[in-house]
Amino acid sequence: QRSADSLRDATRVRALAGSEGQAQPMASSTTVVTYTPAQIRAAYKLPSIASATKAQLGAGQTIYIVNAKHDPNIVAELAAFNSKFSLPSCSNRTLTATTALPLTAASSSSCELVIAYSTSGAALSNTAPAYDSGWATEIALDVQWAHAIAPLARLVLIEAPDASVNNLAGAIRLATRMGPGVVSMSFGANEGSWVSSLESSFATSGMSYLAATGDNGAAVSWPAVSSRVVAVGGTSLTWTGSGSRSETTWSSTGGGISSFVAQPSYQAGTNNASKRAVADVAFNANPYTGQYVATMAQGSTSVSWISAGGTSLSTPQWAGLLAVANALRAQGGKASLGLPHGTLYSSVAKTPGTLLDVTTGSNGSCGTCAAAAGYDTPTGLGTPQGNAVLTALSGATVTASTAAISSLSVSTTPLSGKVGSALAATIGLDLAGASSAQINISGAPQGVSFSASASGIQVSWASPAAGSYTLQVSLSDNLGRTAQAAVAVSIAK
């Protein structure tokens, strides 16, 4: 049995806090930007949750999330994610081996998390797979960010017994037995001549399949290499809270030209290769421009927040987009997209304004590793302008949110005082609409005290000592935004 490595390598996450409500300063000197669901929806031009219709939130659709091993805390993790970011809550249930398939239709008005354990024979099992901390993080990431993009879609988490290709293929086939929907696969194994034997896993009518291209630079992996699977690459996102975003190729994203799979007809003319090229599309994936994920250790009730990245992050978000497109199509009396490649490469890619063409950066030094105008292997056709992509895929008119998402800020104006005079000063804050915030301050000399309000931090020092000091201020709010600043304090003799 061939083994499929999870694309959630430990280097792809950064710890943000020890537990819920306890913000901690970054351990690394490297700047990490971490985005919330509201920020990602705004940056990628999706409607705000408050203004979106039920169809624009994926109501009535199903996203199948295929992974290996078991996450015993997935219900609690999703609930914490929803609570922190004001997302719709989800009911939950676990299927048994005797559950009748296909599943009944998904709700037209609410989210449900369905958990299923699979066998290599594409059957349901009553036995949960063994726990694995790495795969549990992957599961948490996939479920939370598919939900962030399609908050009213039904999420069916299918846990395979292990990471062998045979067992993961069984989980994929189980998804097709459950009924039409979108399948998200955040794992990969190096391609080989054997991949053709698994093509039938992606042949069911009414299904869309998406897979991550990998996190180790230029390379081609299964299942992304399948011509029936949408291969999702990764970028580094820059967005300031309003206006247009910019993206460059994430240097670790997978992608390349297959050695085994023939070029599909939808890629004719996109490159000079005679074989399948991956990626097809892309989304933010760099863990240093990461996105919030709630995790819980086995046996713990404490929530930890990480800044997650990887093409395993970009994949469930594209899956969410296709689920929303299917909801809009159903509303208009149209069939689901099924395999969407032809539409993506023709009408979507050729309609101005639907995709952001990523033209900078590379994932290696090979001849096809650099991003370029038009199609390229690291980022495919580009990243979605959500409203325009949904309109092109469904025919329904979708309007992007125009609301700016402000950032927290801490004033760096220096503070000064004099020996013999009590210091009373204020460090200015802008909480940008947050209802609560946590503040950590380090570097304060003995005798300094602080109190805080919505407008600032009051600094008091009854008997200041001469010298120069630096206060390190770390700010975190209830929406998951963070800010750090260094504030100089000078006390003259």
Side-chain angles (χ1 to χ4, degrees), residues 267-364:
Q267 285 191 326
T270 59
N271 57 72
N272 296 323
S274 61
K275 300 291 186 182
R276 162 80 159 128
V278 294
D280 295 309
V281 291
F283 210 100
N284 181 45
N286 187 342
Y288 286 102
T289 63
Q291 297 169 215
Y292 284 93
V293 174
T295 63
M296 299 172 69
Q298 185 181 31
S300 173
T301 59
S302 177
V303 177
S304 295
W305 293 94
I306 59 174
S307 181
T311 53
S312 56
L313 173 65
S314 49
T315 301
Q317 294 181 98
W318 260 101
L321 274 176
L322 294 191
V324 172
N326 281 337
L328 292 166
R329 291 176 66 88
Q331 183 177 254
K334 298 179 180 179
S336 62
L337 286 165
L339 302 183
H341 305 77
T343 303
L344 288 171
Y345 277 83
S346 57
S347 61
V348 172
K350 294 178 180 179
T351 301
T354 57
L355 297 165
L356 175 63
D357 187 7
V358 180
T359 60
T360 58
S362 68
N363 64 347

Side-chain angles (χ1 to χ4, degrees), residues 133 149 157 163 192 230 342-343 398 447 462-463:
S133 61
I149 302 301
L157 169 62
V230 177
T343 303
V398 179
S463 302

Side-chain angles (χ1 to χ4, degrees), residues 313-480:
L313 173 65
S314 49
T315 301
Q317 294 181 98
W318 260 101
L321 274 176
L322 294 191
V324 172
N326 281 337
L328 292 166
R329 291 176 66 88
Q331 183 177 254
K334 298 179 180 179
S336 62
L337 286 165
L339 302 183
H341 305 77
T343 303
L344 288 171
Y345 277 83
S346 57
S347 61
V348 172
K350 294 178 180 179
T351 301
T354 57
L355 297 165
L356 175 63
D357 187 7
V358 180
T359 60
T360 58
S362 68
N363 64 347
S365 57
C366 66
T368 60
C369 286
Y375 179 87
D376 55 69
T377 59
T379 63
L381 299 168
T383 61
Q385 306 288 20
N387 61 326
V389 165
L390 291 173
T391 296
L393 290 174
S394 68
T397 300
V398 179
T399 303
S401 171
T402 58
I405 308 294
S406 301
S407 299
L408 302 178
S409 64
V410 181
S411 171
T412 57
T413 301
L415 309 182
S416 61
K418 188 176 181 179
V419 172
S421 299
L423 174 67
T426 300
I427 300 172
L429 298 177
D430 183 355
L431 297 185
S435 59
S436 64
Q438 298 80 44
I439 303 168
N440 280 355
I441 303 174
S442 61
Q446 188 173 2
V448 176
S449 62
F450 305 94
S451 60
S453 67
S455 60
I457 303 168
Q458 286 70 52
V459 183
S460 300
W461 195 358
S463 302
S468 297
Y469 312 92
T470 301
L471 303 178
Q472 300 289 344
V473 182
S474 177
L475 183 64
S476 176
D477 74 355
N478 63 303
L479 301 177

